Amino acid sequence: MKPTVRFVIITALRDRLFVSLYGLLAITFVIAIYLSGGAIAETDRMAVVYAAGGARVMLMMGFTVFVAFHLERLYETRELEALLSRAISRETFIVAYWIGMAFNAALILLPVAAVIFFFQLSMSGAVLWMGSVLLESLVVIAFAIFCGVSLERAIPTIFVTVGFYALARLIGFFVGITHGIVKSDVNQVADPIMEYLSYLVPRLDLVGQTRWLVYGPDSLNIGGVIAAQLAVYVALLLAAAMFDLRKKHF
């Protein structure tokens, strides 16, 4: 397992994942500071909220694009076959790949954590925000791995993962609409669908809330609930990726 984890980390360095994301994050922070300068009051709070929200989206998109194109390259160059020809099972490969990407995500989040803690207005909120964003990235990485293994192509993997992420971020909004509007013929069909989706899709709208950075979390117990929910989804996604890779014939 260790060689595969090291392989993923070295590939991220070789493909300049760290440099690219650090550059995008720096641009995001500069834009956030610039936009907050137009606020009449509480410019520091505006800067923190803009920077945190933008960094969160940039990180998820960066991890998705890297995993999608890397897995596609492994299929096209038959490098995946060479990796699986060694004394490593397909299940172990999936876990090792996810661990390697999790390590990359943690390293990339370190500078973000430093900036957030430097400008933080609530220590407990900053800690919970960083921890929940790391967990969110692990879910997105697991879903990207599953799609990359199943679809074997980068573009559809990116589209499906971005769609999943957008739905997971907006599912709370959709569920709120179903309970707050007048029922019509269309709603009679759409409302049950959204209710079922709310049970299947992780509630990423509850993760990494930027208001935590300003006002702090309402309750620290929410951190345990979020961690338990996302851990279940990561396990399910990795199991699905293992099952799909097991069916591949090389």
Side-chain angles (χ1 to χ4, degrees):
M1 179 179 292
K2 288 183 179 179
T4 304
V5 173
R6 186 165 56 250
F7 164 74
V8 175
I9 297 172
I10 293 174
T11 302
L13 291 171
R14 182 192 63 192
D15 291 350
R16 295 177 174 81
L17 173 65
F18 292 87
V19 175
S20 301
L21 279 181
Y22 287 154
L24 288 175
L25 291 175
I27 295 173
T28 301
F29 292 152
V30 171
I31 294 175
I33 295 172
Y34 174 76
L35 292 177
S36 65
I40 299 176
E42 298 184 341
T43 57
D44 55 342
R45 295 172 183 246
M46 295 289 289
V48 169
V49 170
Y50 286 152
R56 177 187 180 189
V57 175
M58 287 294 180
L59 289 171
M60 302 309 142
M61 296 302 102
F63 297 145
T64 298
V65 171
F66 174 79
V67 171
F69 279 99
H70 186 222
L71 287 176
E72 181 184 52
R73 188 170 62 199
L74 290 181
Y75 275 108
E76 289 184 346
T77 61
R78 296 185 177 275
E79 197 170 359
L80 181 58
E81 297 182 33
L83 291 172
L84 296 177
S85 65
R86 301 178 180 179
I88 180 174
S89 66
R90 303 189 180 195
E91 293 78 8
T92 303
F93 170 79
I94 294 295
V95 175
Y97 193 96
W98 178 79
I99 292 175
M101 282 304 304
F103 185 80
N104 290 335
L107 288 180
I108 292 173
L109 276 169
L110 285 178
V112 180
V115 174
I116 293 298
F117 282 117
F118 180 78
F119 291 101
Q120 60 85 20
L121 303 171
S122 170
M123 180 59 73
S124 60
V127 171
L128 182 58
W129 187 87
M130 286 304 307
S132 62
V133 168
L134 177 60
L135 291 175
E136 179 183 31
S137 67
L138 300 183
V139 173
V140 172
I141 289 170
F143 190 87
I145 292 174
F146 165 66
C147 292
V149 169
S150 303
L151 302 175
E152 303 182 15
R153 290 293 181 269
I155 299 302
T157 296
I158 294 173
F159 285 162
V160 174
T161 305
V162 170
F164 163 80
Y165 181 65
L167 179 62
R169 288 286 301 272
L170 296 172
I171 190 64
F173 173 73
F174 292 144
V175 172
I177 290 178
T178 62
H179 294 288
I181 60 176
V182 179
K183 303 298 182 182
S184 63
D185 294 337
V186 176
N187 298 130
Q188 297 297 330
V189 177
D191 289 356
I193 295 176
M194 296 312 303
E195 288 288 344
Y196 291 134
L197 282 176
S198 66
Y199 296 117
L200 299 175
V201 178
R203 291 293 302 272
L204 295 185
D205 59 308
L206 302 177
V207 178
Q209 300 179 39
T210 51
R211 66 182 181 86
W212 293 343
L213 300 172
V214 178
Y215 304 108
D218 298 329
S219 173
L220 293 178
N221 293 330
I222 191 175
V225 174
I226 291 173
Q229 182 195 51
L230 297 187
V232 171
Y233 275 96
V234 167
L236 291 175
L237 290 171
L238 293 181
M242 293 175 189
F243 177 78
D244 198 82
L245 186 60
R246 172 63 65 178
K247 295 191 302 179
K248 301 288 184 180
H249 298 286
F250 298 109

